[in-house]
């Protein structure tokens, strides 16, 4: 039997409806500051989606565009200024940054209470302690999809493919916190020829690699739940990392790309902004 679709858009709509009500509580409105350094095509579609989501909710989206030759000192000076600007509720530093700036060294400058992408080491570290109030939106989106579909994680074989700081690693901790038996695969798993055997064990499979078709449909375990985080542009079409058609013939539930994790991520980013504003209010 073909898999059911696990779509993010209907959940995103509900989240935004709820946010519209909560935002009314903030008399002065909410402001999201976005910093883009240089001309990187990778962040253009994210910025577009963020601008639209903010606009729909009546949130002011304040873009800051810095030149290609910006130094780390200049970038962190702007972050510090926005940290102390009481009108700003959330700060996003768009990736990728130009080569001369070490992005890991920049993230700790974002005030943890304004870090709506959950990338400051303090917020990332709290995930291990299950104490994080602001989660990276993509991983929160994956958890929300699993929760909405009532997928039980306790004792399940869960395989995460991709081990980036922003998706695979924090996600594996959240899954572990839910007592899933979690395996994390990455480039070395692939290069050692072991990726297919790990994927084939997965009762729940989450893929965040960024390579179209890296996961073959016939590797999927019968009845598995498949969450595809990947976004790849192929001939003007957006596809995920999983061979969708063959995977859908084996899985019980599968996210479409586009329409799965992506729309939910943007809605959760806005929810993080509202949560951050509440934390700021409580701390002022
Ligand atoms: P990244 O490049 O930082 O990390 C990729 C990971 O995949 C690494 O751990 C690497 O070891 C692993 N990898 C690379 N090739 C592999 C292979 N052949 N087999 C197994 N593992 C391999 O990427 P990222 O920032 O984590 O993003 C991953 C994907 O998720 C991208 O397509 C990105 O566009 C997408 N993404 C989507 C959203 C969303 O909202 N839907 C948000 C963030 C990222």
């Amino acid at each position: 039997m073909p898999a059911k679709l696990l779509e993010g858009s209907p959940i995103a709509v509900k989240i935004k409806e709820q946010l519209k009500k909560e935002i009314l509580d903030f008399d002065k409105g909410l402001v999201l500051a976005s910093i883009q350094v240089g001309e990187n095509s990778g962040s253009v579609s994210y910025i577009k989606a963020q601008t639209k989501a903010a606009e729909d909710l009546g949130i002011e989206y304040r873009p800051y565009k810095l030149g290609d030759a910006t130094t780390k000192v200049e970038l962190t000076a702007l972050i510090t200024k926005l940290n102390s600007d009481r009108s700003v509720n959330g700060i996003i530093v768009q990736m990728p940054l130009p080569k001369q700036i070490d992005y890991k060294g920049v993230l700790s400058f974002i005030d943890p209470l304004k870090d709506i992408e959950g990338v400051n080491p303090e917020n990332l570290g709290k995930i291990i302690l299950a104490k994080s109030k602001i989660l990276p939106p993509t991983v929160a989106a994956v958890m929300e999809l699993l929760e909405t579909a009532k997928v039980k994680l306790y004792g399940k074989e869960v395989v995460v493919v991709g081990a980036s700081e922003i998706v695979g690693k924090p996600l594996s901790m959240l899954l572990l916190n839910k007592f899933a038996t979690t395996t994390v695969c990455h480039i070395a798993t692939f290069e050692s020829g072991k990726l297919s055997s790990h994927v084939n064990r997965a009762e729940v499979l989450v893929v965040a690699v960024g390579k179209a078709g890296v996961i073959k449909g016939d590797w999927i375990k019968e009845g598995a739940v498949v969450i595809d985080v990947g976004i790849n542009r192929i001939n003007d079409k957006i596809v995920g990392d999983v061979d969708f058609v063959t995977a859908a013939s084996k899985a019980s539930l599968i996210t479409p790309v586009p329409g799965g994790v992506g729309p939910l991520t943007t809605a959760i980013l806005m929810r993080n902004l509202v949560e951050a504003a509440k934390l700021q209010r409580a701390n002022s």
Side-chain angles (χ1 to χ4, degrees):
M1 204 163 77
K4 277 195 196 147
L5 278 186
L6 184 46
E7 291 177 291
S9 304
I11 311 171
V13 168
K14 279 194 193 151
I15 290 176
K16 287 189 205 156
E17 287 308 314
Q18 175 63 23
L19 290 181
K20 275 184 187 155
K21 292 181 208 150
E22 294 187 23
I23 287 169
L24 296 176
D25 261 6
F26 295 89
D27 299 340
K28 292 183 185 152
L30 297 179
V31 174
L32 196 176
S34 151
I35 308 174
Q36 185 188 359
V37 188
E39 284 301 332
N40 44 62
S41 56
S43 56
V44 171
S45 56
Y46 289 115
I47 294 175
K48 221 168 122 184
Q50 290 162 9
T51 310
K52 179 163 186 328
E55 246 173 49
D56 289 350
L57 292 170
I59 292 166
E60 181 186 337
Y61 194 79
R62 217 177 265 176
Y64 293 83
K65 215 165 168 193
L66 303 179
D68 262 320
T70 301
T71 62
K72 181 181 168 188
V73 171
E74 289 164 334
L75 173 58
T76 55
L78 175 58
I79 296 172
T80 308
K81 194 176 122 211
L82 296 171
N83 283 343
S84 52
D85 182 340
R86 290 176 67 90
S87 74
V88 172
N89 304 100
I91 301 170
I92 301 177
V93 178
Q94 305 288 349
M95 297 293 156
L97 291 172
K99 282 193 204 69
Q100 72 275 14
I101 304 178
D102 159 36
Y103 83 94
K104 290 186 191 174
V106 165
L107 304 178
S108 55
F109 281 83
I110 306 171
D111 180 344
L113 292 182
K114 296 190 177 184
D115 172 32
I116 60 170
E117 289 198 300
V119 289
N120 177 297
E122 184 179 319
N123 284 329
L124 275 176
K126 279 183 181 164
I127 295 177
I128 292 185
L129 306 174
K131 289 263 183 214
S132 182
K133 294 207 167 77
I134 300 182
L135 292 172
T138 312
V139 303
V142 172
M143 298 307 285
E144 190 109 12
L145 282 163
L146 292 170
E147 208 176 299
T148 305
K150 300 193 167 48
V151 176
K152 295 214 165 49
L153 292 168
Y154 193 90
K156 283 273 173 70
E157 288 286 341
V158 179
V159 175
V160 179
V161 186
S164 68
E165 280 88 15
I166 194 59
V167 188
K169 282 184 190 170
L171 179 63
S172 66
M173 282 302 139
L174 287 171
L175 292 162
L176 201 52
N177 291 346
K178 298 277 181 197
F179 293 96
T181 305
T182 308
T183 304
V184 186
C185 301
H186 39 72
I187 186 68
T189 322
F190 173 77
E191 286 181 353
S192 59
K194 294 173 188 151
L195 186 59
S196 60
S197 62
H198 284 293
V199 168
N200 190 243
R201 279 190 302 104
E203 296 175 282
V204 177
L205 175 69
V206 186
V207 186
V209 170
K211 290 181 183 161
V214 69
I215 303 297
K216 310 294 170 220
D218 59 4
W219 296 354
I220 307 290
K221 188 183 176 74
E222 203 70 47
V225 173
V226 178
I227 312 271
D228 190 349
V229 181
I231 299 176
N232 308 290
R233 193 175 291 276
I234 308 278
N235 301 331
D236 277 344
K237 251 187 89 183
I238 302 285
V239 299
D241 290 340
V242 179
D243 266 344
F244 182 82
V245 176
T246 36
S249 70
K250 301 195 81 180
S252 59
L253 268 179
I254 188 166
T255 54
V257 179
V261 179
L264 197 47
T265 300
T266 316
I268 291 176
L269 181 72
M270 297 301 142
R271 188 169 74 189
N272 279 355
L273 180 79
V274 175
E275 287 309 311
K278 286 184 198 166
L279 291 173
Q280 290 152 27
R281 193 160 59 183
N283 275 270
S284 66

